[in-house]
Short mmCIF file of all heavy atoms in Angstrom, two decimals:
data_model
loop_
_atom_site.label_atom_id
_atom_site.label_comp_id
_atom_site.label_asym_id
_atom_site.label_seq_id
_atom_site.Cartn_x
_atom_site.Cartn_y
_atom_site.Cartn_z
N GLU A 8 121.06 79.06 40.76
CA GLU A 8 122.46 79.22 40.34
C GLU A 8 122.48 79.64 38.87
O GLU A 8 121.98 78.93 37.99
CB GLU A 8 123.22 77.91 40.53
CG GLU A 8 123.36 77.51 41.99
CD GLU A 8 124.06 76.17 42.14
OE1 GLU A 8 125.11 75.97 41.51
OE2 GLU A 8 123.52 75.33 42.89
N ILE A 9 123.08 80.82 38.62
CA ILE A 9 123.18 81.38 37.27
C ILE A 9 124.65 81.66 37.03
O ILE A 9 125.20 82.66 37.52
CB ILE A 9 122.35 82.67 37.14
CG1 ILE A 9 120.90 82.42 37.55
CG2 ILE A 9 122.40 83.21 35.71
CD1 ILE A 9 120.08 83.68 37.71
N GLY A 10 125.34 80.79 36.31
CA GLY A 10 126.79 80.92 36.15
C GLY A 10 127.46 80.78 37.49
O GLY A 10 127.22 79.83 38.24
N ASP A 11 128.34 81.74 37.82
CA ASP A 11 129.01 81.74 39.12
C ASP A 11 128.23 82.55 40.15
O ASP A 11 128.72 82.81 41.25
CB ASP A 11 130.43 82.30 38.98
CG ASP A 11 131.37 81.29 38.34
OD1 ASP A 11 131.09 80.06 38.42
OD2 ASP A 11 132.37 81.73 37.74
N SER A 12 127.04 83.02 39.76
CA SER A 12 126.24 83.85 40.66
C SER A 12 125.13 83.00 41.28
O SER A 12 124.69 81.99 40.72
CB SER A 12 125.63 85.03 39.91
OG SER A 12 126.63 85.81 39.30
N GLU A 13 124.69 83.47 42.45
CA GLU A 13 123.64 82.75 43.18
C GLU A 13 122.54 83.74 43.54
O GLU A 13 122.79 84.88 43.91
CB GLU A 13 124.24 82.13 44.45
CG GLU A 13 123.27 81.28 45.26
CD GLU A 13 123.94 80.67 46.48
OE1 GLU A 13 124.65 79.67 46.32
OE2 GLU A 13 123.77 81.25 47.58
N ALA A 14 121.29 83.27 43.42
CA ALA A 14 120.15 84.14 43.72
C ALA A 14 119.16 83.39 44.61
O ALA A 14 119.04 82.17 44.52
CB ALA A 14 119.47 84.58 42.44
N ILE A 15 118.48 84.12 45.48
CA ILE A 15 117.45 83.56 46.34
C ILE A 15 116.12 84.20 45.98
O ILE A 15 116.01 85.43 45.87
CB ILE A 15 117.76 83.81 47.83
CG1 ILE A 15 119.07 83.12 48.22
CG2 ILE A 15 116.62 83.32 48.70
CD1 ILE A 15 119.51 83.43 49.63
N PHE A 16 115.11 83.35 45.76
CA PHE A 16 113.77 83.83 45.46
C PHE A 16 112.97 83.87 46.76
O PHE A 16 112.93 82.89 47.51
CB PHE A 16 113.09 82.89 44.46
CG PHE A 16 111.67 83.24 44.19
CD1 PHE A 16 111.34 84.24 43.29
CD2 PHE A 16 110.62 82.59 44.85
CE1 PHE A 16 110.02 84.58 43.04
CE2 PHE A 16 109.31 82.93 44.61
CZ PHE A 16 109.01 83.92 43.71
N THR A 17 112.34 85.01 47.04
CA THR A 17 111.60 85.14 48.30
C THR A 17 110.48 86.15 48.16
O THR A 17 110.48 87.00 47.26
CB THR A 17 112.55 85.59 49.44
OG1 THR A 17 111.82 85.66 50.65
CG2 THR A 17 113.15 86.96 49.13
N PHE A 18 109.49 86.02 49.09
CA PHE A 18 108.43 87.00 49.19
C PHE A 18 108.68 87.98 50.34
O PHE A 18 107.93 88.94 50.51
CB PHE A 18 107.07 86.31 49.40
CG PHE A 18 106.65 85.44 48.25
CD1 PHE A 18 106.74 84.06 48.33
CD2 PHE A 18 106.18 86.01 47.08
CE1 PHE A 18 106.35 83.26 47.26
CE2 PHE A 18 105.79 85.22 46.01
CZ PHE A 18 105.88 83.83 46.09
N ASP A 19 109.75 87.70 51.16
CA ASP A 19 110.03 88.52 52.34
C ASP A 19 111.54 88.68 52.46
O ASP A 19 112.24 87.78 52.92
CB ASP A 19 109.46 87.86 53.59
CG ASP A 19 109.58 88.75 54.81
OD1 ASP A 19 110.11 89.88 54.69
OD2 ASP A 19 109.16 88.32 55.89
N VAL A 20 112.09 89.83 52.04
CA VAL A 20 113.54 90.02 52.05
C VAL A 20 114.10 90.10 53.45
O VAL A 20 115.30 89.88 53.66
CB VAL A 20 113.91 91.31 51.27
CG1 VAL A 20 113.62 91.15 49.81
CG2 VAL A 20 113.21 92.52 51.85
N ALA A 21 113.25 90.39 54.42
CA ALA A 21 113.76 90.52 55.80
C ALA A 21 114.36 89.20 56.29
O ALA A 21 115.26 89.18 57.13
CB ALA A 21 112.65 90.97 56.73
N ARG A 22 113.86 88.09 55.78
CA ARG A 22 114.36 86.78 56.20
C ARG A 22 115.81 86.56 55.78
O ARG A 22 116.52 85.75 56.34
CB ARG A 22 113.50 85.67 55.59
CG ARG A 22 112.07 85.62 56.11
CD ARG A 22 111.30 84.52 55.41
NE ARG A 22 112.02 83.26 55.49
CZ ARG A 22 111.87 82.24 54.64
NH1 ARG A 22 111.04 82.37 53.63
NH2 ARG A 22 112.56 81.12 54.79
N PHE A 23 116.26 87.29 54.72
CA PHE A 23 117.59 87.05 54.16
C PHE A 23 118.44 88.31 54.21
O PHE A 23 119.27 88.54 53.34
CB PHE A 23 117.46 86.57 52.71
CG PHE A 23 116.63 85.32 52.57
CD1 PHE A 23 115.28 85.40 52.26
CD2 PHE A 23 117.22 84.08 52.75
CE1 PHE A 23 114.52 84.26 52.13
CE2 PHE A 23 116.46 82.92 52.61
CZ PHE A 23 115.11 83.00 52.30
N SER A 24 118.24 89.13 55.23
CA SER A 24 118.95 90.40 55.28
C SER A 24 120.44 90.22 55.34
O SER A 24 121.21 91.00 54.79
CB SER A 24 118.47 91.22 56.48
OG SER A 24 118.70 90.49 57.68
N SER A 25 120.92 89.18 55.99
CA SER A 25 122.37 88.98 56.10
C SER A 25 122.98 88.63 54.76
O SER A 25 124.14 88.88 54.50
CB SER A 25 122.67 87.86 57.11
OG SER A 25 122.07 86.65 56.67
N ARG A 26 122.18 88.05 53.87
CA ARG A 26 122.69 87.72 52.54
C ARG A 26 122.76 88.97 51.66
O ARG A 26 123.60 89.06 50.80
CB ARG A 26 121.72 86.75 51.86
CG ARG A 26 121.69 85.38 52.50
CD ARG A 26 122.46 84.40 51.68
NE ARG A 26 122.23 83.04 52.08
CZ ARG A 26 122.47 82.01 51.30
NH1 ARG A 26 122.92 82.20 50.08
NH2 ARG A 26 122.29 80.79 51.73
N ALA A 27 121.87 89.88 51.94
CA ALA A 27 121.75 91.00 51.02
C ALA A 27 122.73 92.11 51.28
O ALA A 27 122.99 92.92 50.42
CB ALA A 27 120.34 91.56 51.08
N THR A 28 123.30 92.18 52.50
CA THR A 28 124.23 93.27 52.80
C THR A 28 125.29 92.78 53.76
O THR A 28 125.07 91.91 54.57
CB THR A 28 123.49 94.48 53.39
OG1 THR A 28 124.42 95.48 53.66
CG2 THR A 28 122.74 94.12 54.66
N SER A 29 126.44 93.30 53.62
CA SER A 29 127.55 92.89 54.48
C SER A 29 127.44 93.48 55.86
O SER A 29 128.06 93.01 56.79
CB SER A 29 128.87 93.30 53.84
OG SER A 29 128.89 94.70 53.63
N ALA A 30 126.70 94.51 56.03
CA ALA A 30 126.54 95.14 57.35
C ALA A 30 125.20 95.80 57.41
O ALA A 30 124.63 96.21 56.40
CB ALA A 30 127.66 96.16 57.60
N GLY A 31 124.65 95.94 58.63
CA GLY A 31 123.38 96.64 58.78
C GLY A 31 122.27 95.70 59.12
O GLY A 31 122.31 94.51 58.86
N SER A 32 121.25 96.22 59.74
CA SER A 32 120.11 95.44 60.18
C SER A 32 119.12 95.24 59.06
O SER A 32 119.25 95.77 57.97
CB SER A 32 119.43 96.18 61.33
OG SER A 32 118.90 97.40 60.84
N ALA A 33 118.09 94.45 59.36
CA ALA A 33 117.03 94.23 58.38
C ALA A 33 116.33 95.54 58.06
O ALA A 33 115.92 95.79 56.93
CB ALA A 33 116.02 93.23 58.92
N GLU A 34 116.18 96.41 59.07
CA GLU A 34 115.54 97.70 58.82
C GLU A 34 116.34 98.54 57.84
O GLU A 34 115.81 99.21 56.97
CB GLU A 34 115.35 98.47 60.14
CG GLU A 34 114.28 97.89 61.05
CD GLU A 34 114.78 96.63 61.75
OE1 GLU A 34 116.00 96.42 61.80
OE2 GLU A 34 113.93 95.84 62.23
N GLU A 35 117.73 98.47 58.01
CA GLU A 35 118.58 99.20 57.07
C GLU A 35 118.43 98.64 55.66
O GLU A 35 118.37 99.38 54.68
CB GLU A 35 120.04 99.11 57.52
CG GLU A 35 120.34 99.88 58.79
CD GLU A 35 121.74 99.61 59.28
OE1 GLU A 35 122.24 98.49 59.10
OE2 GLU A 35 122.34 100.54 59.83
N LEU A 36 118.38 97.32 55.59
CA LEU A 36 118.20 96.69 54.28
C LEU A 36 116.87 97.12 53.66
O LEU A 36 116.78 97.41 52.49
CB LEU A 36 118.22 95.16 54.44
CG LEU A 36 117.88 94.34 53.19
CD1 LEU A 36 118.97 94.49 52.15
CD2 LEU A 36 117.69 92.88 53.54
N GLU A 37 115.84 97.15 54.53
CA GLU A 37 114.52 97.51 54.05
C GLU A 37 114.52 98.89 53.38
O GLU A 37 114.02 99.06 52.29
CB GLU A 37 113.55 97.52 55.24
CG GLU A 37 112.10 97.69 54.87
CD GLU A 37 111.44 96.35 54.59
OE1 GLU A 37 112.16 95.35 54.47
OE2 GLU A 37 110.21 96.32 54.48
#
């Protein structure tokens, strides 16, 4: 938690694809 912002630390972004984009699959995020 940094101010009003939130961040997730990871070695594999595919696990958190729903957090990273409002729409689209993990492949799209990739």
Side-chain angles (χ1 to χ4, degrees):
E8 294 177 48
I9 305 169
D11 285 336
S12 303
E13 184 179 281
I15 297 174
F16 175 81
T17 182
F18 296 104
D19 187 0
V20 292
R22 293 178 52 203
F23 302 95
S24 59
S25 61
R26 292 257 193 159
T28 180
S29 58
S32 65
E34 288 76 18
E35 291 172 327
L36 173 68
E37 188 88 348

